[in-house]
Amino acid sequence: MAGLWVGEAALVTAGRRGRRWLQPLLRSAALWTLKHVPHYSRQHLVVSRSLCSVGYDSNEKTFDKILVANRGEIACRVIKTCKKMGIKTVAIHSDVDASSVHVKMADEAVCVGPAPTSKSYLNMDAIMEAIKKTGAQAVHPGYGFLSENKEFAKCLAAADVIFIGPDTHAIQAMGDKIESKLLAKNAKVNTIPGFDGVVKDADEAVRIAREIGYPVMIKASAGGGGKGMRIAWDDEETRDGFRFSSQEAASSFGDDRLLIEKFIDNPRHIEVQVLGDKHGNALWLNERECSIQRRNQKVVEEAPSLFLDSETRRAMGEQAVALAKAVNYSSAGTVEFLVDSKKNFYFLEMNTRLQDPYKSFGLPSIGRLSQYQEPLHLPGVRVDSGIQPGSDISIYYDPMISKLITYGSDRREALKRMEDALDNYVIRGVTHNIALLREVIINSRFVKGDINTKFLSDVYPDGFKGHQLTENERNQLLAIASSLFVASQLRAHHFQEDENSRVPIVKPQVANWELSVKLHDEVYTVVASISGPTFSVEVDESKLNVTGAWNLASPLLSVNVDGTQRMIQCLSREAGGNMSIQFLGTVYKVHILTKLAAELNKFMLEKAAEDTSSILRSPMPGMVVAVSVKPGDLVAEGQEICVIEAMKMQNSMTAGKTGKVKSVHCKAGDTVGEGDLLVELE
């Protein structure tokens, strides 16, 4: 499964057999109770998180109305399922989400507060009032927000409203990492060595870390989804990790308690799906590999794992079931394990929900989707989303665009379908992570299954910089860009022709177009000619034939370059010759001019680059949590200047050089946009 996020992402591979029984089972487990289940195999995993495409027994008693206490794609998926089951739905929303897709899909909608989650989607009083107002008989919490909040479950029980999920005992036991670890030990489940109590302060954190031995993992007791987690390799990183983790935990979960464990270096992250009913039955549905991560958040997920053998898989599944039974678990849930190179596995945590967290890579981006088109015309593709063209990606919530899932008869087919789906996905208006996803799934290590949780940092030690073109790919891009340029010029000439024009237009008779194309600071001489839909392009002593429909108004352009089919997107074309093309997932900026225009362009002055060492700009939209300096302060290179919170993750902004603070342009509580000036140095 590949999830698309603004800033980052995820792949599920498996066969098709078993989908007919497994989908109703998941719906039944999520909304009711688990019934008799036939024997299952590893090929069933492709729908291990499906809640949308389900069937149901029309004679089965159901709720009349359900309130969905969430937003985005998970709210949309729950609402779709309810519609198929004939159940009316109530959506809740913040004021900025009033026009969201999940609000439009539901039968009723209630505003529960302003944009901040603490005042809306975490506002239990407002949500309880919405339940009372609409007469909803049950609440589906989705994932995140209140899905693992035992107090919310208690409020619902007191109001005689059904919580579609596990009971409060299981939520409390598994939602608290400290308690869940103790329960896991008692249930004979393998656990990671560490401190089992609550860490009081930074000094105690350092003492405990030294006792355990570095490196250690500092993480929120009530956390999940990678938030409130830090790896520390020494005392200084432990103090910083304690501060940031506790702040993130308080912001995301309303609980700043932390625990410390031994960090297992280079592990695999593998999860097991469990289902339990209210009659003491529980089972496991095999595993999914989630080792491709960034900041402890999953980027790519795959089922089944190439690493596990049948014996290890069974042992992990049996321990997951033992843990579920230990807390009388009665819902769909996820048990997470870390697995080392020798196939030793350790319990990490249990999520009392279907796993579907936000996965972030790089810096989040906000904005409005000016154009959006899902690749649903391709076989073996599914997209779970809660947005549409015109939707806003806000700083207040996880910036996920969608989850992209592909499946096939084998891994090779599923991977190829993922590659095609990413090439055919149109997302305009915000920065996305298609380039990263595409590079991960074609990487030789990933294809071989040679992965661990440090995959991204190992493969991209200096950060991800997009696809690195081979010489042949570079020539293909230059040929495609040149063909697009000539096609647009010819179209412009066609529009200029007008028999009634007072000024006669002389149609240029050009047999060969001599062009100057700049790519990555290198300038190439290109000669292009056209014959029908085919361009013949000479570049770097190579001749390529490029054929296509050349519909310049289409967001997707299918072109054939010497027999190789490519799906590209021309994101922008400017009169000055600048062009942005999405090719092999990555956006490349090229500058194309005719030979004459390029000669004249040499006399144009270039804008001087800004000296960024003396200024600090916000690299992302977010909220200023803290400012550590004031005018006149002396700061050292690398010293923390301020902290920006974006999508519930805190990021330390540091000085680019040693100097004196000239001015500070922000204060704690300010909302800042990408590129906003924060601090100036003399």
Side-chain angles (χ1 to χ4, degrees):
M1 166 177 145
L4 286 181
W5 287 261
V6 186
E8 204 60 22
L11 167 81
V12 171
T13 66
R16 300 184 183 87
R17 289 182 357 185
R19 295 176 67 196
R20 289 187 296 276
W21 71 260
L22 184 56
Q23 289 173 336
L25 168 62
L26 284 171
R27 183 266 305 164
S28 180
L31 298 180
W32 297 103
T33 61
L34 181 63
K35 298 180 180 179
H36 173 71
V37 180
H39 178 72
Y40 54 91
S41 76
R42 61 187 295 185
Q43 289 184 320
H44 296 154
L45 287 177
V46 67
V47 290
S48 64
R49 67 197 68 210
S50 172
L51 285 178
C52 297
S53 180
V54 299
Y56 72 99
D57 182 356
S58 60
N59 296 317
E60 184 179 24
K61 179 178 172 61
T62 63
F63 296 116
D64 296 319
K65 185 184 293 187
I66 290 175
L67 183 142
V68 183
N70 217 296
R71 66 182 300 277
E73 64 86 22
I74 183 59
C76 292
R77 281 202 286 150
V78 174
I79 292 171
K80 286 178 183 177
T81 298
C82 289
K83 285 183 180 294
K84 291 183 179 182
M85 298 179 68
I87 302 173
K88 292 183 178 179
T89 55
V90 179
I92 62 169
H93 64 90
S94 65
D95 52 8
V96 298
D97 270 350
S99 299
S100 294
V101 175
H102 79 283
V103 174
K104 296 178 181 178
M105 288 178 60
D107 297 292
E108 302 175 56
V110 179
C111 181
V112 289
T117 55
S118 61
K119 299 180 180 179
S120 52
Y121 295 102
L122 293 176
N123 187 344
M124 285 191 282
D125 291 339
I127 295 173
M128 293 302 298
E129 183 61 30
I131 295 169
K132 180 179 179 182
K133 177 181 177 181
T134 59
Q137 301 161 302
V139 171
H140 196 304
Y143 56 78
F145 292 138
L146 296 172
S147 64
E148 297 178 274
N149 189 303
K150 63 180 183 294
E151 296 303 323
F152 182 56
K154 288 179 181 178
C155 288
L156 293 175
D160 200 25
V161 176
I162 301 298
F163 178 76
I164 301 176
D167 59 28
T168 55
H169 168 67
I171 293 176
Q172 179 173 350
M174 291 296 100
D176 188 306
K177 288 183 173 63
I178 296 173
E179 185 174 350
S180 67
K181 188 173 180 180
L182 295 175
L183 283 168
K185 284 184 176 180
N186 293 334
K188 309 298 183 186
V189 176
N190 304 342
T191 58
I192 302 172
F195 179 68
D196 296 333
V198 178
V199 183
K200 297 177 182 178
D201 52 37
D203 289 335
E204 184 178 39
V206 170
R207 179 182 61 78
I208 293 170
R210 288 175 176 174
E211 291 175 357
I212 296 173
Y214 288 110
V216 297
M217 172 67 81
I218 303 169
K219 59 185 180 181
S221 173
K227 296 168 185 173
M229 300 177 69
R230 290 290 191 282
I231 299 170
W233 295 82
D234 54 38
D235 291 355
E236 183 180 357
E237 289 186 0
T238 298
R239 292 184 185 279
D240 289 342
F242 181 88
R243 177 165 65 99
F244 285 122
S245 293
S246 60
Q247 290 173 354
E248 287 178 6
S251 174
S252 297
F253 315 112
D255 185 343
D256 63 358
R257 293 177 303 148
L258 301 177
L259 60 87
I260 299 180
E261 294 177 335
K262 178 69 176 177
F263 175 65
I264 300 176
D265 202 11
N266 296 323
R268 288 174 179 258
H269 186 132
I270 298 176
E271 301 176 350
V272 176
Q273 191 80 60
V274 294
L275 295 174
D277 65 13
K278 295 185 182 298
H279 306 288
N281 302 307
L283 57 83
W284 54 280
L285 296 176
N286 291 5
E287 81 292 341
R288 56 183 173 271
E289 175 107 25
C290 311
S291 296
I292 308 296
Q293 301 183 2
R294 170 68 172 175
R295 296 183 74 175
N296 305 304
Q297 297 176 328
K298 298 146 202 163
V299 175
V300 176
E301 300 187 32
E302 179 177 2
S305 169
L306 293 182
F307 182 67
L308 297 185
D309 53 43
S310 58
E311 182 179 346
T312 307
R313 178 177 292 108
R314 184 181 302 108
M316 292 174 68
E318 289 173 352
Q319 289 200 13
V321 167
L323 184 59
K325 287 186 174 181
V327 293
N328 299 317
Y329 195 78
S330 59
S331 186
T334 307
V335 180
E336 302 184 7
F337 293 95
L338 290 182
V339 185
D340 67 20
S341 60
K342 297 181 180 179
K343 293 188 175 64
N344 298 310
F345 60 90
Y346 306 92
F347 168 69
L348 187 61
E349 64 179 344
M350 182 176 184
N351 296 301
T352 53
R353 63 188 188 275
L354 283 176
Q355 187 74 344
D356 231 336
Y358 153 57
K359 297 120 179 134
S360 173
F361 180 82
L363 302 178
S365 167
I366 66 168
R368 178 164 295 175
L369 288 166
S370 57
Q371 199 167 6
Y372 181 73
Q373 183 176 308
E374 297 174 348
L376 296 175
H377 60 287
L378 301 176
V381 173
R382 170 180 147 188
V383 181
D384 290 337
S385 68
I387 47 89
Q388 62 187 2
S391 291
D392 286 315
I393 306 298
S394 165
I395 67 171
Y396 298 105
Y397 314 114
D398 289 348
M400 186 175 73
I401 296 176
S402 71
K403 290 194 291 293
L404 174 63
I405 304 107
T406 62
Y407 52 90
S409 57
D410 56 30
R411 189 171 188 262
R412 183 190 299 270
E413 183 177 57
L415 283 170
K416 183 61 173 69
R417 287 178 170 177
M418 179 62 74
E419 186 179 336
D420 292 341
L422 290 169
D423 285 343
N424 281 268
Y425 213 132
V426 178
I427 303 171
R428 309 281 174 83
V430 294
T431 303
H432 53 73
N433 61 330
I434 284 179
L436 173 72
L437 291 178
R438 197 181 190 283
E439 286 302 294
V440 168
I441 65 170
I442 66 173
N443 182 274
S444 59
R445 277 187 55 184
F446 180 83
V447 173
K448 290 187 295 185
D450 178 19
I451 59 176
N452 55 49
T453 56
K454 294 180 66 177
F455 177 88
L456 290 179
S457 59
D458 288 345
V459 175
Y460 310 111
D462 299 321
F464 178 68
K465 295 178 173 60
H467 180 72
Q468 303 303 302
L469 296 169
T470 64
E471 181 179 347
N472 182 53
E473 290 169 344
R474 181 203 66 196
N475 289 344
Q476 286 188 11
L477 175 58
L478 293 173
I480 292 170
S482 300
S483 300
L484 278 171
F485 177 82
V486 175
S488 64
Q489 293 294 307
L490 292 174
R491 187 178 72 161
H493 294 159
H494 174 73
F495 287 140
Q496 288 173 357
E497 295 175 8
D498 186 352
E499 295 180 356
N500 300 318
S501 175
R502 294 183 179 181
V503 180
I505 301 296
V506 179
K507 185 176 180 180
Q509 300 296 325
V510 181
N512 295 314
W513 293 72
E514 295 186 60
L515 306 174
S516 174
V517 185
K518 185 177 182 180
L519 172 67
H520 295 156
D521 296 325
E522 293 287 334
V523 178
Y524 302 87
T525 298
V526 178
V527 179
S529 60
I530 183 172
S531 176
T534 300
F535 286 90
S536 179
V537 184
E538 296 179 22
V539 53
D540 200 20
E541 299 183 352
S542 299
K543 187 172 183 178
L544 299 91
N545 293 314
V546 185
T547 304
W550 306 113
N551 179 2
L552 302 183
S554 173
L556 292 169
L557 290 173
S558 179
V559 298
N560 187 292
V561 186
D562 284 344
T564 300
Q565 202 67 31
R566 299 292 191 192
M567 184 64 71
I568 68 156
Q569 299 183 39
C570 184
L571 306 183
S572 65
R573 296 192 316 275
E574 299 176 3
N578 290 317
M579 187 182 297
S580 293
I581 298 176
Q582 186 170 310
F583 175 69
L584 301 177
T586 295
V587 177
Y588 296 94
K589 298 184 182 299
V590 295
H591 188 238
I592 306 180
L593 295 173
T594 63
K595 184 178 180 181
L596 174 60
E599 290 295 327
L600 297 174
N601 192 58
K602 296 177 181 178
F603 299 100
M604 300 293 290
L605 296 177
E606 292 187 6
K607 182 180 179 181
E610 182 180 45
D611 178 13
T612 57
S613 64
S614 298
I615 60 173
L616 178 64
R617 294 187 182 276
S618 177
M620 73 203 83
M623 186 182 73
V624 179
V625 175
V627 179
S628 307
V629 299
K630 62 182 182 300
D633 285 355
L634 293 176
V635 296
E637 181 179 355
Q639 179 179 331
E640 181 177 289
I641 299 296
C642 63
V643 177
I644 304 291
E645 181 179 279
M647 286 78 180
K648 301 301 180 183
M649 298 294 287
Q650 295 196 357
N651 303 271
S652 176
M653 303 292 105
T654 60
K657 70 174 185 179
T658 299
K660 180 183 289 187
V661 177
K662 178 181 179 181
S663 57
V664 177
H665 299 270
C666 63
K667 62 181 184 301
D670 284 355
T671 298
V672 295
E674 182 178 350
D676 284 2
L677 182 61
L678 303 175
V679 174
E680 288 182 275
L681 302 181
E682 293 182 354

